[in-house]
Amino acid sequence: MEKKRDILLIGLGVWSVIAAVILALVAWSHLSNKVYESGVLNGATETAARIYNDIIDKSANNECNTVFVQYDGRRVDLINVRCLQVQNTGEETTEPK
């Protein structure tokens, strides 16, 4: 009877260690995925904010230079609306053409 009890205790100990290792691996995988997703999301948000701020800073200058934006092989030139005015008369346009 004593030997059977010892075998059961050893088996229970081994089972507990295996279960703890599996639980730790599942928790690690879950947490590392969450941390990775959070980092990607924060990085994407910060990068987008930097890009928008850079475009705004470049287009808000007094020289009225165009700022180009390129994505997926397409390019668009942007200009501040304040710069869309007729030079001779000083009238501002109300609609972009």
Side-chain angles (χ1 to χ4, degrees):
M1 188 70 163
E2 186 73 28
K3 189 170 188 168
K4 190 174 184 178
R5 182 176 171 216
D6 289 342
I7 292 173
L8 286 175
L9 286 175
I10 291 172
L12 182 62
V14 169
W15 177 256
S16 297
V17 169
I18 291 172
V21 168
I22 290 173
L23 182 63
L25 288 174
V26 169
W28 175 259
S29 175
H30 178 71
L31 289 175
S32 65
N33 285 339
K34 288 296 181 185
V35 168
Y36 176 77
E37 289 172 6
S38 175
V40 168
L41 180 62
N42 287 340
T45 303
E46 183 177 331
T47 301
R50 284 185 182 183
I51 290 170
Y52 295 146
N53 284 333
D54 186 47
I55 290 172
I56 290 170
D57 289 344
K58 286 180 180 177
S59 64
N61 59 26
N62 291 330
E63 291 91 28
C64 292
N65 297 328
T66 60
V67 177
F68 76 91
V69 178
Q70 186 171 346
Y71 176 73
D72 197 26
R74 297 178 293 169
R75 179 181 166 145
V76 177
D77 291 315
L78 305 175
I79 191 166
N80 195 335
V81 175
R82 289 182 299 141
C83 297
L84 298 177
Q85 58 186 345
V86 178
Q87 295 292 331
N88 294 338
T89 60
E91 295 177 15
E92 294 184 3
T93 60
T94 57
E95 283 186 40
K97 296 187 180 187

